[in-house]
Amino acid sequence: VQLQASGGGLVQAGDSLRLSCAASGRTFSSYHMGWFRKVPGKEREFIALVGSDSTTYYADSAKGRFTISRDNAKNTVYLQMNSLKPEDTALYYCAASLIRAIVPGPYGYWGQGTQVTVSS
């Protein structure tokens, strides 16, 4: 599976962004898809996942503001981010795993990352 993330940008606090992650391959629907983010000097942080059954799970930092979804017909997973805060500034990665997980280890496929910068 190859993943291509997009949709990042520079926004102001309170704004919204929608990240997209397009996947190649015919087995996309079999994978659990996650979004992580990375800030220099910190560990990669789990944000949200959508399972192969479309059930979702969120980190506390994302609950109520972010929504993850998938469109298997388009081989794409989305992360809708609302009410963005400066502390959401990070490089955001999508990832695919055959194991449902909220840690990076089981994810064998990663996109290249898309930068989100939120100004105050």
Side-chain angles (χ1 to χ4, degrees):
V1 177
Q2 291 186 318
L3 304 174
Q4 180 75 33
S6 61
L10 172 62
V11 297
Q12 293 187 329
D15 286 350
S16 298
L17 276 177
R18 189 176 80 156
L19 306 184
S20 298
C21 176
S24 63
R26 292 175 289 180
T27 58
F28 173 75
S29 61
S30 300
Y31 286 87
H32 306 292
M33 300 298 298
W35 283 99
F36 293 78
R37 65 188 182 189
K38 179 74 168 68
V39 175
K42 294 188 176 181
E43 298 287 325
R44 195 167 295 194
E45 176 190 9
F46 167 78
I47 298 300
L49 76 85
V50 57
S52 58
D53 60 358
S54 294
T55 57
T56 58
Y57 184 82
Y58 297 92
D60 287 344
S61 58
K63 286 178 182 176
R65 299 189 301 128
F66 295 1
T67 302
I68 189 171
S69 60
R70 67 190 298 159
D71 185 337
N72 289 338
K74 296 182 178 180
N75 278 14
T76 302
V77 61
Y78 304 98
L79 185 68
Q80 176 68 42
M81 303 187 296
N82 299 328
S83 302
L84 283 162
K85 304 175 182 179
E87 52 262 45
D88 294 318
T89 295
L91 190 60
Y92 283 72
Y93 296 89
C94 59
S97 173
L98 292 175
I99 299 172
R100 185 182 177 97
I102 62 170
V103 292
Y107 288 82
Y109 304 95
W110 292 83
Q112 83 289 3
T114 185
Q115 179 67 37
V116 172
T117 303
V118 184
S119 63
S120 58

